[in-house]
Amino acid sequence: MLYRNIGKPIFFKMDPEKAHHLVVDGLARAALLPGAEQAMRGMYGVSETPDLAVDLFGIHFPTPVGLAAGLDKNAKAVKGFSSIGFGFMEVGTVTPKGQAGNELPRLFRLPEDEALINRMGFNNDGSAAMAARLSRVKNRRIPVAVNIGKNKVTPNEEAHRDYETCIRELFPYGDFFVVNISSPNTPDLRSLQHGSELSLLLDTVMKEMGRQADTHGIAKPVLVKIAPDVNDEELEFMVDTISSSGVSGIIATNTTLSRAGLKHDNAKETGGLSGRPLKERSTEIVSRIYRQTGGKLPIIGSGGIFTAEDAYNKITAGASLVEIYTALIYEGPEVNRRLHAGLRKLLKRDGYQHISEAVGADHR
Protein backbone atom coordinates (compact mmCIF):
# COMPACT_ATOMS: atom_id res chain seq x y z
CA MET A 1 0.00 0.00 0.00
CA LEU A 2 3.08 2.25 -0.04
CA TYR A 3 2.27 3.73 -3.44
CA ARG A 4 -1.46 4.10 -2.85
CA ASN A 5 -1.04 5.84 0.52
CA ILE A 6 2.12 7.89 -0.05
CA GLY A 7 3.40 7.89 -3.62
CA LYS A 8 0.16 8.39 -5.54
CA PRO A 9 -1.13 11.37 -3.50
CA ILE A 10 2.19 13.12 -4.06
CA PHE A 11 2.44 12.33 -7.76
CA PHE A 12 -1.19 13.25 -8.44
CA LYS A 13 -0.63 16.75 -7.03
CA MET A 14 2.13 17.26 -9.59
CA ASP A 15 1.86 18.08 -13.28
CA PRO A 16 1.39 14.67 -14.99
CA GLU A 17 4.42 14.96 -17.27
CA LYS A 18 6.68 16.16 -14.46
CA ALA A 19 5.56 13.17 -12.39
CA HIS A 20 6.22 10.92 -15.39
CA HIS A 21 9.81 12.16 -15.71
CA LEU A 22 10.32 11.95 -11.95
CA VAL A 23 9.36 8.27 -11.96
CA VAL A 24 11.47 7.33 -14.99
CA ASP A 25 14.51 9.32 -13.91
CA GLY A 26 14.12 8.10 -10.33
CA LEU A 27 14.07 4.46 -11.43
CA ALA A 28 17.09 5.09 -13.65
CA ARG A 29 19.10 6.63 -10.80
CA ALA A 30 17.95 4.07 -8.24
CA ALA A 31 19.18 1.20 -10.38
CA LEU A 32 22.70 2.63 -10.19
CA LEU A 33 22.82 2.30 -6.40
CA PRO A 34 24.36 -0.87 -4.93
CA GLY A 35 21.63 -3.28 -3.88
CA ALA A 36 18.81 -1.13 -5.29
CA GLU A 37 17.65 -3.61 -7.92
CA GLN A 38 17.55 -6.39 -5.37
CA ALA A 39 15.56 -4.17 -3.00
CA MET A 40 13.04 -3.30 -5.73
CA ARG A 41 12.64 -6.95 -6.62
CA GLY A 42 12.07 -7.73 -2.96
CA MET A 43 9.34 -5.11 -2.71
CA TYR A 44 7.65 -5.46 -6.08
CA GLY A 45 9.16 -8.35 -8.01
CA VAL A 46 7.18 -11.33 -9.26
CA SER A 47 8.61 -14.82 -8.97
CA GLU A 48 8.42 -16.86 -12.16
CA THR A 49 5.96 -19.74 -11.98
CA PRO A 50 5.63 -22.60 -14.49
CA ASP A 51 1.95 -21.94 -15.16
CA LEU A 52 2.44 -18.33 -16.28
CA ALA A 53 5.87 -18.34 -17.96
CA VAL A 54 5.47 -18.02 -21.73
CA ASP A 55 7.72 -19.03 -24.61
CA LEU A 56 6.74 -17.12 -27.73
CA PHE A 57 8.58 -15.81 -30.81
CA GLY A 58 11.57 -17.85 -29.65
CA ILE A 59 11.75 -15.66 -26.52
CA HIS A 60 11.17 -16.61 -22.89
CA PHE A 61 8.81 -14.34 -20.95
CA PRO A 62 8.96 -14.99 -17.17
CA THR A 63 5.44 -13.59 -16.78
CA PRO A 64 2.79 -12.72 -19.39
CA VAL A 65 2.35 -9.10 -18.24
CA GLY A 66 4.53 -6.45 -19.86
CA LEU A 67 4.95 -2.69 -19.82
CA ALA A 68 3.54 -0.95 -22.88
CA ALA A 69 5.47 1.63 -24.86
CA GLY A 70 5.33 5.30 -23.93
CA LEU A 71 6.54 5.28 -20.35
CA ASP A 72 10.26 4.67 -20.87
CA LYS A 73 10.55 6.50 -24.18
CA ASN A 74 14.35 6.66 -24.20
CA ALA A 75 15.31 3.37 -22.50
CA LYS A 76 16.56 5.24 -19.46
CA ALA A 77 15.14 2.92 -16.80
CA VAL A 78 15.28 -0.59 -18.25
CA LYS A 79 16.89 -2.04 -15.13
CA GLY A 80 14.40 -0.31 -12.87
CA PHE A 81 11.30 -1.43 -14.75
CA SER A 82 12.79 -4.92 -15.05
CA SER A 83 12.84 -5.12 -11.26
CA ILE A 84 9.18 -4.42 -10.45
CA GLY A 85 7.46 -7.54 -11.73
CA PHE A 86 7.12 -7.13 -15.48
CA GLY A 87 7.65 -10.09 -17.78
CA PHE A 88 8.82 -7.85 -20.63
CA MET A 89 8.79 -4.17 -21.57
CA GLU A 90 8.63 -1.90 -24.57
CA VAL A 91 10.88 1.14 -24.87
CA GLY A 92 10.06 4.06 -27.17
CA THR A 93 8.42 5.05 -29.38
CA VAL A 94 11.78 6.01 -30.86
CA THR A 95 12.34 7.88 -34.13
CA PRO A 96 15.53 8.20 -36.20
CA LYS A 97 16.13 11.80 -35.16
CA GLY A 98 15.40 13.14 -31.72
CA GLN A 99 12.39 15.44 -31.54
CA ALA A 100 10.72 17.56 -28.90
CA GLY A 101 7.18 16.35 -29.50
CA ASN A 102 4.06 18.46 -29.20
CA GLU A 103 3.60 21.62 -27.15
CA LEU A 104 2.94 21.50 -23.41
CA PRO A 105 0.70 20.59 -21.70
CA ARG A 106 0.28 17.25 -23.42
CA LEU A 107 -0.51 14.69 -20.72
CA PHE A 108 -3.74 14.69 -18.71
CA ARG A 109 -5.21 12.54 -15.96
CA LEU A 110 -8.89 11.61 -15.78
CA PRO A 111 -9.12 10.12 -12.27
CA GLU A 112 -12.89 9.58 -12.31
CA ASP A 113 -12.48 7.50 -15.46
CA GLU A 114 -9.16 5.87 -14.47
CA ALA A 115 -7.75 7.08 -17.74
CA LEU A 116 -5.06 9.23 -19.32
CA ILE A 117 -5.05 11.40 -22.41
CA ASN A 118 -1.74 12.09 -24.08
CA ARG A 119 -0.70 14.03 -27.15
CA MET A 120 3.03 13.68 -26.57
CA GLY A 121 3.98 13.37 -30.24
CA PHE A 122 6.85 10.85 -30.10
CA ASN A 123 9.10 13.06 -27.97
CA ASN A 124 12.39 11.16 -27.73
CA ASP A 125 16.17 11.47 -28.00
CA GLY A 126 16.48 9.54 -31.27
CA SER A 127 17.60 6.06 -32.26
CA ALA A 128 21.36 6.63 -31.81
CA ALA A 129 20.88 7.77 -28.20
CA MET A 130 18.66 4.78 -27.45
CA ALA A 131 21.18 2.39 -29.01
CA ALA A 132 23.91 3.81 -26.78
CA ARG A 133 21.78 3.38 -23.65
CA LEU A 134 20.66 -0.15 -24.47
CA SER A 135 24.22 -1.18 -25.29
CA ARG A 136 25.13 -0.43 -21.67
CA VAL A 137 22.38 -2.61 -20.18
CA LYS A 138 24.00 -5.97 -19.60
CA ASN A 139 22.41 -9.19 -18.33
CA ARG A 140 18.81 -8.13 -18.85
CA ARG A 141 16.29 -9.84 -16.62
CA ILE A 142 13.38 -9.53 -19.06
CA PRO A 143 12.95 -9.18 -22.85
CA VAL A 144 13.02 -5.62 -24.18
CA ALA A 145 11.03 -4.62 -27.26
CA VAL A 146 11.95 -1.52 -29.23
CA ASN A 147 8.90 0.41 -30.43
CA ILE A 148 9.76 2.35 -33.61
CA GLY A 149 8.05 5.21 -35.43
CA LYS A 150 8.59 7.99 -37.93
CA ASN A 151 9.67 11.58 -37.36
CA LYS A 152 6.94 14.20 -37.52
CA VAL A 153 8.63 16.00 -40.44
CA THR A 154 8.95 12.82 -42.53
CA PRO A 155 6.22 12.64 -45.19
CA ASN A 156 4.24 9.41 -45.32
CA GLU A 157 5.68 8.45 -48.69
CA GLU A 158 9.13 8.36 -47.04
CA ALA A 159 7.99 6.93 -43.69
CA HIS A 160 9.28 3.44 -44.46
CA ARG A 161 12.81 4.85 -44.51
CA ASP A 162 12.48 6.04 -40.91
CA TYR A 163 11.44 2.58 -39.74
CA GLU A 164 14.29 1.09 -41.76
CA THR A 165 16.78 3.43 -40.05
CA CYS A 166 15.51 2.59 -36.57
CA ILE A 167 15.85 -1.14 -37.24
CA ARG A 168 19.34 -0.73 -38.66
CA GLU A 169 20.58 1.29 -35.67
CA LEU A 170 18.80 -0.66 -32.95
CA PHE A 171 18.70 -4.25 -34.20
CA PRO A 172 21.54 -5.50 -31.96
CA TYR A 173 19.88 -4.12 -28.84
CA GLY A 174 16.21 -5.12 -29.02
CA ASP A 175 14.90 -8.60 -28.28
CA PHE A 176 12.01 -7.83 -30.61
CA PHE A 177 10.61 -4.83 -32.45
CA VAL A 178 7.22 -3.13 -32.64
CA VAL A 179 6.16 -1.08 -35.65
CA ASN A 180 4.01 1.78 -34.37
CA ILE A 181 1.62 2.96 -37.07
CA SER A 182 -1.24 3.73 -34.72
CA SER A 183 -0.42 6.70 -32.50
CA PRO A 184 -2.99 9.47 -33.03
CA ASN A 185 -0.47 12.18 -32.10
CA THR A 186 1.73 12.24 -35.21
CA PRO A 187 -0.10 13.77 -38.20
CA ASP A 188 -1.19 11.21 -40.79
CA LEU A 189 0.60 8.34 -39.02
CA ARG A 190 -2.55 6.23 -38.84
CA SER A 191 -2.87 6.49 -42.62
CA LEU A 192 0.02 4.01 -42.74
CA GLN A 193 -2.39 1.35 -41.50
CA HIS A 194 -4.26 1.30 -44.78
CA GLY A 195 -3.83 0.57 -48.47
CA SER A 196 -0.55 0.33 -50.33
CA GLU A 197 1.25 2.38 -47.65
CA LEU A 198 0.88 -0.48 -45.17
CA SER A 199 2.13 -3.05 -47.67
CA LEU A 200 5.16 -0.92 -48.61
CA LEU A 201 6.00 -0.21 -44.99
CA LEU A 202 5.86 -3.83 -43.88
CA ASP A 203 7.74 -5.02 -46.95
CA THR A 204 10.52 -2.53 -46.17
CA VAL A 205 10.55 -3.51 -42.50
CA MET A 206 10.77 -7.22 -43.20
CA LYS A 207 13.52 -6.78 -45.78
CA GLU A 208 15.58 -4.72 -43.34
CA MET A 209 14.97 -7.24 -40.55
CA GLY A 210 16.22 -9.92 -42.94
CA ARG A 211 19.35 -7.95 -43.81
CA GLN A 212 20.11 -7.36 -40.15
CA ALA A 213 19.50 -11.03 -39.34
CA ASP A 214 22.05 -11.99 -42.00
CA THR A 215 24.56 -9.46 -40.68
CA HIS A 216 24.22 -10.40 -37.02
CA GLY A 217 23.51 -14.09 -37.42
CA ILE A 218 20.23 -14.00 -35.53
CA ALA A 219 16.62 -13.40 -36.55
CA LYS A 220 14.38 -11.28 -34.33
CA PRO A 221 10.60 -10.95 -34.21
CA VAL A 222 8.73 -7.85 -35.32
CA LEU A 223 5.13 -7.00 -34.40
CA VAL A 224 2.72 -4.32 -35.58
CA LYS A 225 0.77 -2.13 -33.16
CA ILE A 226 -2.67 -1.16 -34.44
CA ALA A 227 -5.33 1.36 -33.44
CA PRO A 228 -8.75 0.56 -31.96
CA ASP A 229 -10.46 3.25 -34.04
CA VAL A 230 -11.12 1.21 -37.17
CA ASN A 231 -14.26 -0.29 -38.63
CA ASP A 232 -14.70 -3.98 -39.33
CA GLU A 233 -13.68 -3.70 -42.99
CA GLU A 234 -10.54 -1.69 -42.18
CA LEU A 235 -9.55 -4.14 -39.47
CA GLU A 236 -10.02 -7.12 -41.75
CA PHE A 237 -7.85 -5.55 -44.44
CA MET A 238 -5.14 -4.61 -41.93
CA VAL A 239 -5.02 -8.08 -40.44
CA ASP A 240 -4.86 -9.69 -43.89
CA THR A 241 -2.00 -7.42 -44.93
CA ILE A 242 -0.13 -7.89 -41.67
CA SER A 243 -0.59 -11.66 -41.76
CA SER A 244 0.72 -11.94 -45.32
CA SER A 245 3.72 -9.69 -44.60
CA GLY A 246 5.52 -12.30 -42.52
CA VAL A 247 5.59 -10.33 -39.26
CA SER A 248 5.47 -12.29 -36.02
CA GLY A 249 2.38 -10.82 -34.41
CA ILE A 250 0.09 -7.90 -33.59
CA ILE A 251 -0.28 -5.66 -30.56
CA ALA A 252 -3.90 -4.66 -30.04
CA THR A 253 -4.35 -1.86 -29.30
CA ASN A 254 -2.92 1.64 -29.11
CA THR A 255 -4.83 4.55 -27.57
CA THR A 256 -8.25 5.66 -28.80
CA LEU A 257 -9.74 8.94 -29.99
CA SER A 258 -13.14 7.97 -28.60
CA ARG A 259 -14.48 9.89 -25.61
CA ALA A 260 -17.61 7.81 -25.07
CA GLY A 261 -18.80 7.65 -21.47
CA LEU A 262 -16.12 9.86 -19.95
CA LYS A 263 -16.93 11.96 -16.89
CA HIS A 264 -13.84 14.08 -16.23
CA ASP A 265 -13.46 17.59 -17.64
CA ASN A 266 -10.18 16.62 -19.29
CA ALA A 267 -12.18 14.54 -21.77
CA LYS A 268 -12.23 17.67 -23.92
CA GLU A 269 -8.47 17.46 -24.46
CA THR A 270 -7.22 16.14 -27.79
CA GLY A 271 -4.95 13.11 -27.94
CA GLY A 272 -5.03 9.40 -27.38
CA LEU A 273 -7.05 7.98 -24.49
CA SER A 274 -5.70 5.05 -22.49
CA GLY A 275 -6.96 3.28 -19.40
CA ARG A 276 -10.14 1.61 -18.25
CA PRO A 277 -12.48 3.08 -20.92
CA LEU A 278 -10.43 1.32 -23.62
CA LYS A 279 -10.80 -2.13 -22.05
CA GLU A 280 -13.81 -3.50 -23.92
CA ARG A 281 -12.90 -2.16 -27.36
CA SER A 282 -9.33 -3.44 -27.22
CA THR A 283 -10.55 -6.86 -26.08
CA GLU A 284 -13.03 -6.90 -28.96
CA ILE A 285 -10.20 -6.15 -31.42
CA VAL A 286 -8.13 -8.99 -29.92
CA SER A 287 -11.05 -11.36 -30.37
CA ARG A 288 -11.65 -10.32 -33.99
CA ILE A 289 -7.99 -10.76 -34.90
CA TYR A 290 -7.85 -14.19 -33.29
CA ARG A 291 -11.00 -15.30 -35.10
CA GLN A 292 -9.85 -13.94 -38.47
CA THR A 293 -6.41 -15.58 -38.24
CA GLY A 294 -7.60 -18.82 -36.66
CA GLY A 295 -5.30 -18.13 -33.75
CA LYS A 296 -2.22 -18.53 -35.97
CA LEU A 297 -0.90 -14.97 -35.52
CA PRO A 298 0.14 -14.26 -31.92
CA ILE A 299 -1.46 -11.24 -30.25
CA ILE A 300 -0.34 -9.04 -27.37
CA GLY A 301 -3.41 -7.50 -25.76
CA SER A 302 -3.12 -3.94 -24.50
CA GLY A 303 -5.70 -1.45 -23.29
CA GLY A 304 -7.59 -0.94 -20.06
CA ILE A 305 -6.09 -3.77 -18.00
CA PHE A 306 -6.37 -3.03 -14.28
CA THR A 307 -7.27 -6.40 -12.77
CA ALA A 308 -6.42 -10.05 -13.31
CA GLU A 309 -9.91 -10.51 -14.77
CA ASP A 310 -9.21 -7.77 -17.31
CA ALA A 311 -5.99 -9.52 -18.36
CA TYR A 312 -7.63 -12.94 -18.40
CA ASN A 313 -10.45 -11.68 -20.62
CA LYS A 314 -7.91 -10.57 -23.20
CA ILE A 315 -6.15 -13.92 -22.97
CA THR A 316 -9.32 -15.95 -23.45
CA ALA A 317 -10.20 -13.60 -26.33
CA GLY A 318 -6.94 -14.58 -28.00
CA ALA A 319 -3.96 -12.75 -26.50
CA SER A 320 -0.84 -14.75 -25.64
CA LEU A 321 0.66 -11.85 -23.67
CA VAL A 322 -0.74 -8.59 -22.28
CA GLU A 323 0.57 -5.12 -21.49
CA ILE A 324 -0.28 -2.40 -18.99
CA TYR A 325 0.53 1.28 -18.71
CA THR A 326 -2.24 3.37 -17.18
CA ALA A 327 -2.83 0.82 -14.41
CA LEU A 328 0.77 1.32 -13.28
CA ILE A 329 0.10 5.05 -12.93
CA TYR A 330 -3.10 4.57 -10.94
CA GLU A 331 -2.27 1.41 -9.00
CA GLY A 332 1.51 1.58 -8.62
CA PRO A 333 4.05 -1.23 -8.95
CA GLU A 334 2.07 -3.46 -6.59
CA VAL A 335 -0.26 -4.09 -9.54
CA ASN A 336 2.05 -6.72 -11.06
CA ARG A 337 1.88 -9.02 -8.04
CA ARG A 338 -1.90 -8.71 -7.95
CA LEU A 339 -2.17 -9.52 -11.64
CA HIS A 340 0.13 -12.52 -11.33
CA ALA A 341 -1.63 -13.97 -8.29
CA GLY A 342 -5.05 -13.33 -9.80
CA LEU A 343 -4.18 -14.96 -13.13
CA ARG A 344 -2.98 -18.08 -11.32
CA LYS A 345 -6.28 -18.32 -9.47
CA LEU A 346 -8.28 -17.90 -12.66
CA LEU A 347 -6.30 -20.61 -14.45
CA LYS A 348 -6.87 -22.98 -11.54
CA ARG A 349 -10.58 -22.10 -11.44
CA ASP A 350 -10.97 -23.05 -15.08
CA GLY A 351 -8.88 -26.21 -14.83
CA TYR A 352 -5.91 -25.04 -16.90
CA GLN A 353 -2.37 -26.14 -16.12
CA HIS A 354 -0.74 -23.43 -18.22
CA ILE A 355 -1.76 -20.03 -19.52
CA SER A 356 -1.36 -21.16 -23.13
CA GLU A 357 -4.39 -23.42 -22.64
CA ALA A 358 -6.54 -20.36 -21.94
CA VAL A 359 -5.46 -18.42 -25.04
CA GLY A 360 -8.49 -18.10 -27.33
CA ALA A 361 -10.73 -20.16 -25.05
CA ASP A 362 -13.68 -17.91 -25.90
CA HIS A 363 -13.59 -19.26 -29.44
CA ARG A 364 -13.79 -22.94 -28.53
Side-chain angles (χ1 to χ4, degrees):
M1 303 301 290
L2 183 64
Y3 179 82
R4 186 181 295 271
N5 294 333
I6 299 175
K8 184 178 177 180
I10 294 172
F11 288 135
F12 273 54
K13 289 179 181 178
M14 299 173 62
D15 171 79
E17 189 166 348
K18 288 182 179 178
H20 173 117
H21 290 305
L22 182 63
V23 169
V24 174
D25 293 342
L27 278 173
R29 286 192 293 267
L32 298 175
L33 300 174
E37 287 182 73
Q38 184 176 359
M40 285 190 284
R41 289 196 298 273
M43 292 178 66
Y44 303 118
V46 173
S47 298
E48 180 175 335
T49 58
D51 52 349
L52 290 186
V54 176
D55 290 295
L56 190 66
F57 316 125
I59 298 172
H60 181 72
F61 298 86
T63 84
V65 181
L67 175 65
L71 194 52
D72 193 359
K73 293 178 178 293
N74 293 301
K76 287 184 175 181
V78 171
K79 287 188 175 182
F81 284 116
S82 299
S83 301
I84 59 172
F86 288 108
F88 64 100
M89 67 179 292
E90 287 189 64
V91 294
T93 298
V94 63
T95 55
K97 298 176 182 178
Q99 57 184 29
N102 295 323
E103 293 183 1
L104 300 173
R106 54 193 182 184
L107 181 62
F108 307 90
R109 302 186 191 98
L110 293 77
E112 295 171 45
D113 305 296
E114 292 185 289
L116 299 171
I117 290 175
N118 92 84
R119 51 172 181 263
M120 305 296 280
F122 288 174
N123 54 308
N124 74 102
D125 296 339
S127 55
M130 179 177 284
R133 288 195 182 100
L134 288 176
S135 70
R136 295 192 292 267
V137 182
K138 310 298 182 184
N139 303 316
R140 293 182 196 158
R141 299 184 63 85
I142 62 174
V144 175
V146 178
N147 185 298
I148 59 176
K150 81 172 188 73
N151 281 111
K152 183 176 182 179
V153 298
T154 303
N156 270 17
E157 56 267 25
E158 294 296 325
H160 58 287
R161 301 302 179 196
D162 278 11
Y163 291 88
E164 189 178 52
T165 299
C166 287
I167 291 168
R168 186 166 57 248
E169 294 192 351
L170 287 157
F171 187 89
Y173 310 111
D175 294 298
F176 62 106
F177 289 80
V178 179
V179 176
N180 188 347
I181 52 173
S182 50
S183 170
N185 301 316
T186 295
D188 297 324
L189 182 73
R190 287 189 170 188
S191 297
L192 295 174
Q193 296 183 124
H194 310 295
S196 59
E197 288 181 296
L198 179 58
S199 298
L200 172 61
L201 173 61
L202 296 183
D203 182 62
T204 302
V205 164
M206 293 308 293
K207 285 179 178 176
E208 186 59 34
M209 291 295 289
R211 284 191 289 268
Q212 293 303 316
D214 290 341
T215 298
H216 296 279
I218 182 173
K220 295 185 177 182
V222 59
L223 287 76
V224 180
K225 189 167 191 176
I226 66 172
D229 306 317
V230 291
N231 61 40
D232 293 349
E233 185 178 355
E234 289 170 334
L235 179 62
E236 185 176 351
F237 172 82
M238 275 195 296
V239 172
D240 278 343
T241 304
I242 292 168
S243 297
S244 62
S245 72
V247 304
S248 301
I250 293 178
I251 298 182
T253 65
N254 211 318
T255 56
T256 182
L257 294 173
S258 171
R259 298 294 186 265
L262 299 182
K263 302 174 183 177
H264 196 275
D265 288 344
N266 280 338
K268 67 181 183 296
E269 299 291 345
T270 60
L273 175 79
S274 64
R276 199 177 288 279
L278 183 56
K279 178 180 66 175
E280 291 186 7
R281 177 57 178 166
S282 61
T283 303
E284 180 186 1
I285 296 285
V286 169
S287 183
R288 288 179 177 273
I289 296 169
Y290 187 91
R291 186 165 58 247
Q292 182 176 337
T293 61
K296 295 179 180 178
L297 188 67
I299 304 164
I300 298 179
S302 180
I305 295 173
F306 276 69
T307 67
E309 288 78 9
D310 298 337
Y312 194 64
N313 287 341
K314 280 188 170 51
I315 291 163
T316 59
S320 296
L321 300 166
V322 296
E323 292 179 336
I324 64 170
Y325 179 133
T326 307
L328 183 65
I329 306 302
Y330 279 91
E331 302 291 322
E334 297 99 333
V335 69
N336 280 321
R337 284 186 172 174
R338 292 201 296 273
L339 291 174
H340 194 267
L343 282 171
R344 298 193 75 193
K345 289 180 180 178
L346 290 167
L347 287 180
K348 186 175 182 180
R349 181 199 69 187
D350 291 347
Y352 297 129
Q353 300 297 310
H354 189 265
I355 190 171
S356 60
E357 299 172 42
V359 174
D362 293 348
H363 302 272
R364 299 194 287 270

